[in-house]
Amino acid sequence: MALPISRFPVPELAELPDDIRALIETIQEKSGFIPNVFLALAHRPAEFRAFFAAHDALMDKSDGLSKAEREMIVVATSATNGCLYCVVAHGAILRIRAKNPLIADQLAINPWKADLSSRERHMIDFGLKVAGDSAQIVDADLDAMRAAGFTDDEIWDIGAIAAFFAMSNRLANLTSMRPNDEFYAMAR
């Protein structure tokens, strides 16, 4: 019995606007399956486009934070926000990008005990503060990040990734978005 991937309607590929269908088909060709987030969010085409434009602007950069570091922030903050979909999906991506089968589980279960470098520890602690208590961020927090070697662009990216995925986590929880089974076994 196939379980639903969303509490809301999931459109058929043939029903989607051409640009969204083409993007989803490209993702399917690349990964071998369609991640459920694409199908669940396709329910609202304008929001789908905005969501993935913001996602790609934050996550596909080649300067500053590495792609693995970006995924570390997603996994740690998504776990704090109780988002099964993002922990599982981005945990798989993190395992691949970090070439480390342990790091995603460590960050998801207890980020304070994860095997992190000093740089990664500062990054994750700051990302968790943005995700969980952003009203308490003060200038001294940014000064500490600069002292740890982060540029202002990197600090912005850490905060923006944590903030974007806070929204994404809440949307995934609202829809009860189900992670694809394929993600669980990737890079183990």
Side-chain angles (χ1 to χ4, degrees):
M1 172 168 109
L3 296 171
I5 64 168
S6 175
R7 290 183 172 121
F8 294 87
V10 176
E12 296 294 325
L13 279 178
E15 299 171 1
L16 295 174
D18 291 342
D19 63 318
I20 293 175
R21 186 177 58 254
L23 174 63
I24 291 173
E25 288 171 347
T26 299
I27 296 296
Q28 182 179 26
E29 288 173 22
K30 183 178 178 181
S31 64
F33 65 99
I34 301 172
N36 288 341
V37 65
F38 289 92
L39 297 172
L41 296 184
H43 170 65
R44 308 275 296 254
E47 293 168 34
F48 176 101
R49 291 180 188 102
F51 179 93
F52 284 106
H55 174 278
D56 294 350
L58 289 170
M59 300 303 289
D60 289 344
K61 287 183 175 182
S62 58
D63 60 325
L65 303 174
S66 72
K67 290 188 179 194
E69 288 173 327
R70 292 171 192 279
E71 295 296 339
M72 291 172 122
I73 298 162
V74 176
V75 172
T77 61
S78 294
T80 296
N81 292 327
C83 183
L84 177 65
Y85 186 90
C86 290
V87 167
V88 172
H90 289 274
I93 297 166
L94 173 56
R95 289 190 298 273
I96 292 166
R97 292 202 167 145
K99 296 176 178 52
N100 179 343
L102 307 178
I103 193 62
D105 291 340
Q106 290 176 348
L107 285 169
I109 294 167
N110 188 338
W112 298 278
K113 294 193 182 215
D115 297 328
L116 300 175
S117 68
S118 176
R119 173 183 168 83
E120 293 165 344
R121 169 65 45 221
H122 280 89
M123 178 185 71
I124 294 302
D125 288 349
F126 185 72
L128 289 170
K129 187 167 187 178
V130 172
D133 201 10
S134 62
Q136 297 299 315
I137 294 173
V138 295
D139 290 345
D141 293 312
L142 277 67
D143 292 341
M145 292 296 287
R146 290 181 189 110
F150 290 92
T151 67
D152 283 353
D153 282 342
E154 290 171 328
I155 296 166
W156 179 279
D157 283 347
I158 294 165
I161 291 165
F164 176 82
F165 277 91
M167 182 275 296
S168 177
N169 299 156
R170 283 154 181 78
L171 189 56
N173 285 333
L174 166 70
T175 63
S176 192
M177 197 179 301
R178 182 176 173 76
N180 300 69
D181 292 346
E182 292 90 342
F183 284 127
Y184 287 93
M186 290 172 73
R188 294 253 184 216

